[in-house]
Amino acid sequence: MLKTKRVRQIKEYVFEHQTVSLDELVEVFHVSKNTIRRDIQELVDLGEIKKVYGGVAVNHTTLESFHDRQTRNQYEKELIGKLAAGYVDDGDIIYIDSGTTTLEMIECLKTKDVTIITNNLDVIITALSYENLNVISTGGVLERKTKSFASFKNMDLIKNYNINKAFMASTGISISNGVTNSSPLESELKKTVVDRSSEVYLLVDHYKFDKYALMTYCGLDEIDYLITDKIPSEEYQEYAKENNIQLVFRESEVKVTS
């Protein structure tokens, strides 16, 4: 693997996990510890990450912007957004979570009559072009890096709505840690949305599997549909079967029931 590609992948891995050990990076990228140290130093010098005892962590003073996340793995995001939009019907009241993958749904919804509840600024702006999309904002304080609104008052607003379908994003998912997010305030909003929704759809590309962030906002077993770009491992397939989760990937879907 070229060094530039490896360094980029190391950065993405650290950002997804928030904190990782050097030994873990050695195992994942199949290189020596000295090589990992040199690669890490490049990212540290750029201010992307910082060294911690035994490993490295995200430098939150340079938290990855919404734009940077949006341009990464763009093909996969568009595919997942298209698959998710296929589950939206005219008249639905849906929640579209703040995320670069969930944003891709809007273009695919432009011919449908739908009410969208969201906390994401880009979702609101993109939906402006389509008069048939009725948009309700949760309001609150704008987090510029993620282009999302968050406030403890959002929780009371969400509790008043009956949401048919919630389309949720995540920084990382795992069977042990569930569905996770880096922002404590946003995580509380996500948790409330999951509780208030009849059906919960989780949109994640395959890079998000077996990764986790600071906060767990729901268990993986609380998800009804898991939409991704490729079929997950047998472990996740078995978990889906045991918990009646429908796996959706690429242009096909697998209904997995117990």
Side-chain angles (χ1 to χ4, degrees):
M1 181 187 297
L2 293 174
K3 179 182 178 181
T4 53
K5 182 178 180 181
R6 185 178 64 247
V7 171
R8 184 179 71 252
Q9 291 184 353
I10 290 172
K11 172 190 170 183
E12 291 181 0
Y13 190 85
V14 175
F15 267 88
E16 297 292 356
H17 287 74
Q18 301 295 299
T19 302
V20 296
S21 68
L22 293 183
D23 289 337
E24 182 178 350
L25 292 174
V26 167
E27 182 177 352
V28 170
F29 292 96
H30 306 291
V31 293
S32 69
K33 186 170 286 189
N34 284 337
T35 298
I36 285 293
R37 286 195 178 103
R38 288 194 292 269
D39 291 345
I40 286 299
Q41 190 59 51
E42 286 192 22
L43 295 172
V44 170
D45 291 341
L46 291 170
E48 304 279 6
I49 62 176
K50 61 182 179 181
K51 293 180 180 179
V52 296
Y53 182 76
V56 292
V58 174
N59 185 355
H60 286 285
T61 61
T62 57
L63 185 64
E64 191 176 30
S65 71
F66 189 90
H67 176 267
D68 290 340
R69 290 185 289 118
Q70 187 175 9
T71 55
R72 192 176 66 232
N73 307 327
Q74 186 60 29
Y75 171 77
E76 290 88 347
K77 296 175 191 295
E78 291 175 358
L79 170 66
I80 294 168
K82 179 181 178 181
L83 290 172
Y87 287 89
V88 179
D89 301 313
D90 285 338
D92 275 345
I93 301 171
I94 67 174
Y95 183 87
I96 297 185
D97 196 12
S98 179
T100 55
T101 304
T102 48
L103 176 62
E104 296 299 330
M105 292 180 63
I106 300 299
E107 287 295 323
C108 301
L109 297 177
K110 60 186 179 183
T111 61
K112 299 183 180 183
D113 292 309
V114 178
T115 295
I116 298 172
I117 305 170
T118 187
N119 72 321
N120 183 257
L121 182 60
D122 275 349
V123 170
I124 296 169
I125 292 173
T126 306
L128 273 176
S129 302
Y130 311 116
E131 293 183 2
N132 51 301
L133 298 180
N134 180 37
V135 180
I136 300 173
S137 169
T138 61
V141 178
L142 176 64
E143 171 53 61
R144 294 180 183 275
K145 287 286 186 180
T146 60
K147 296 186 179 180
S148 59
F149 294 97
S151 167
F152 285 113
K153 292 183 179 179
N154 298 83
M155 319 310 171
D156 293 331
L157 176 66
I158 289 296
K159 290 175 183 177
N160 292 326
Y161 292 115
N162 297 312
I163 303 169
N164 298 124
K165 301 163 185 175
F167 295 88
M168 307 302 295
S170 174
T171 304
I173 69 168
S174 67
I175 292 174
S176 58
N177 291 303
V179 187
T180 66
N181 180 258
S182 299
S183 167
L185 198 54
E186 276 196 67
S187 293
E188 285 301 314
L189 177 59
K190 293 173 188 284
K191 186 180 300 184
T192 305
V193 170
V194 169
D195 291 341
R196 290 296 305 161
S197 302
S198 300
E199 294 180 340
V200 180
Y201 297 72
L202 180 62
L203 283 61
V204 287
D205 60 51
H206 70 277
Y207 300 102
K208 303 287 183 66
F209 284 78
D210 290 323
K211 298 176 182 178
Y212 58 90
L214 181 64
M215 303 286 293
T216 295
Y217 70 82
C218 75
L220 197 55
D221 58 346
E222 296 179 69
I223 300 301
D224 299 298
Y225 293 78
L226 178 53
I227 305 178
T228 187
D229 57 302
K230 60 166 55 176
I231 188 167
S233 68
E234 290 185 6
E235 183 182 17
Y236 282 92
Q237 292 181 55
E238 186 61 30
Y239 184 88
K241 181 178 180 180
E242 292 173 355
N243 292 277
N244 199 28
I245 300 170
Q246 183 161 324
L247 296 179
V248 183
F249 52 93
R250 294 194 182 277
E251 297 302 330
S252 62
E253 61 187 51
V254 177
K255 173 71 174 182
V256 193
T257 57
S258 55

